[in-house]
Amino acid sequence: MLPVKPTPQVLRTMLKMASGILTTTGFGLLWLSPLTTSATGFEPLPISGVLRDDGTSAYILCNASGKFDESKNHNIPRKPTPSQSNTCAIFPANDIAAPLPGFNLLKHASRQVVMKNALTGYADKKIASVLDIVWRNQASGECIYGTRVLAFSSADADYNDQLPGKQYFRITDITRGGFAGREVEVAYALTASGAEPIYRVGRSYTAVQYYKRPGYQRQPLIEPAFHNAINGVDSTEHITPEFRQQSASLNENWVNFTTLIGLPKRPASPMMYVKAACSSAPPTEQPETIRLRQAISPFIELNVPGFVPSNSNSTETTQP
């Protein structure tokens, strides 16, 4: 019988199982056995979506705990470790450290997030910063694009001081563009204490509102077609969404991460990674590449520039 050639995904799994990882503990370096790390690491995010029993979704689940665990009453997520709740998770030493061997730091920038809209009375409110990083593996022709958000605790954090209490920008989704025509893999790391995990990642421009309530979908389907920034019920009332309010069309140019960031308890996001093919040409900076969404009423989207592969277009938000 001729040997069967393993698929790329099987090869990745075999490599993970064969390679354990080193992690730093209070007692020095600890070697974690291959069996405890085989489920962690970068996961493919198919351009064609993910087939489910009821249709196709643009989203994969990374951490189905807390509010994404439909079998539990509480909303407290399980943090990823090398042995549990670790789909999509990696464990670098810090934000700047290369997430995979063979990758070297290529570009980095800190970008200020300013809200200026009707909610702020059209005054500038500096409410967050975005760390934007690119690592490149010259031998494999791949780059990894990293994104991390930090909410400011300054006076500007209350973006609407005309209302009682504090009106904090609560970021539920971070979307990054520039990947059309490229296969991508995604991962995240909890480098900040108090950060929530990445619950799901979608090959879509659309962030979809989610609550652990009837009608809300952990993996929203691609139909009915919806191409805009946020889909859901823009109301503070507990209203069950219609089916059309829980869909997200595929978009190969964008990757959307779902988590939760916001003062006072969750000022920092995980570090989010997108790995894709890149040329030897340096990445370019384009406007509106990184989008921060509040898929909680009132719906809000803010954007900052970001690095993209050379010859990419991060401003294209729809596709046939």
Side-chain angles (χ1 to χ4, degrees):
M1 180 181 295
L2 293 174
V4 177
K5 183 180 180 181
T7 65
Q9 188 166 0
V10 170
L11 282 172
R12 281 192 297 269
T13 302
M14 291 167 66
L15 287 171
K16 289 176 185 175
M17 293 179 68
S19 66
I21 62 172
L22 284 172
T23 185
T24 302
T25 71
F27 301 96
L29 289 175
L30 173 66
W31 176 258
L32 298 174
S33 73
L35 291 177
T36 64
T37 62
S38 60
T40 67
F42 280 78
E43 294 288 336
L45 195 62
I47 291 175
S48 58
V50 179
L51 188 61
R52 292 167 38 88
D53 291 340
D54 53 352
T56 299
S57 176
Y59 280 84
I60 64 170
L61 289 176
C62 287
N63 190 309
S65 69
K67 65 181 181 180
F68 271 74
D69 186 348
E70 297 171 332
S71 67
K72 305 292 185 182
N73 291 326
H74 65 77
N75 288 331
I76 301 172
R78 291 190 302 272
K79 300 296 178 71
T81 70
S83 60
Q84 69 174 12
S85 303
N86 52 23
T87 303
C88 311
I90 62 174
F91 305 93
N94 52 58
D95 288 336
I96 298 296
L100 288 175
F103 284 81
N104 297 302
L105 183 64
L106 181 63
K107 288 264 191 178
H108 64 91
S110 180
R111 310 188 186 282
Q112 193 169 79
V113 182
V114 178
M115 185 185 298
K116 183 179 182 180
N117 54 26
L119 296 170
T120 69
Y122 296 99
D124 286 352
K125 295 280 189 174
K126 302 175 182 66
I127 59 173
S129 68
V130 173
L131 180 60
D132 183 13
I133 307 180
V134 185
W135 299 267
R136 182 163 63 196
N137 185 321
Q138 191 69 36
S140 67
E142 294 177 307
C143 289
I144 296 175
Y145 302 83
T147 315
R148 182 167 175 256
V149 180
L150 179 65
F152 294 154
S153 58
S154 63
D156 280 358
D158 182 5
Y159 64 79
N160 190 343
D161 53 19
Q162 300 303 308
L163 295 177
K166 300 292 185 180
Q167 318 303 314
Y168 295 132
F169 184 37
R170 300 183 66 197
I171 303 164
T172 60
D173 295 82
I174 299 96
T175 312
R176 185 162 193 141
F179 303 106
R182 290 173 166 84
E183 298 291 337
V184 304
E185 295 183 7
V186 295
Y188 76 97
L190 285 187
T191 54
S193 62
E196 292 210 5
I198 295 297
Y199 295 105
R200 64 187 179 192
V201 189
R203 196 72 186 263
S204 178
Y205 176 69
T206 301
V208 181
Q209 185 182 46
Y210 181 80
Y211 291 102
K212 191 193 288 187
R213 298 203 296 259
Y216 290 93
Q217 303 298 315
R218 297 192 307 170
Q219 287 179 274
L221 301 181
I222 62 174
E223 298 290 347
F226 190 91
H227 299 280
N228 295 336
I230 303 173
N231 197 6
V233 182
D234 195 357
S235 171
T236 56
E237 302 294 326
H238 282 204
I239 299 172
T240 301
E242 298 178 21
F243 185 67
R244 63 180 178 83
Q245 294 173 311
Q246 284 289 290
S247 64
S249 296
L250 286 162
N251 191 316
E252 65 177 24
N253 200 37
W254 294 87
V255 174
N256 186 89
F257 293 85
T258 300
T259 182
L260 183 59
I261 310 142
L263 297 173
K265 294 182 179 180
R266 306 173 189 88
S269 78
M271 175 61 85
M272 295 155 280
Y273 305 96
V274 181
K275 179 160 70 77
C278 64
S279 69
S280 59
T284 59
E285 181 179 295
Q286 291 192 9
E288 302 181 0
T289 294
I290 300 170
R291 313 284 181 107
L292 311 181
R293 276 86 177 262
Q294 176 175 292
I296 300 168
S297 186
F299 290 172
I300 300 172
E301 180 188 67
L302 304 178
N303 61 73
V304 295
F307 297 120
V308 300
S310 60
N311 302 320
S312 291
N313 179 9
S314 66
T315 60
E316 180 59 49
T317 61
T318 61
Q319 67 183 51

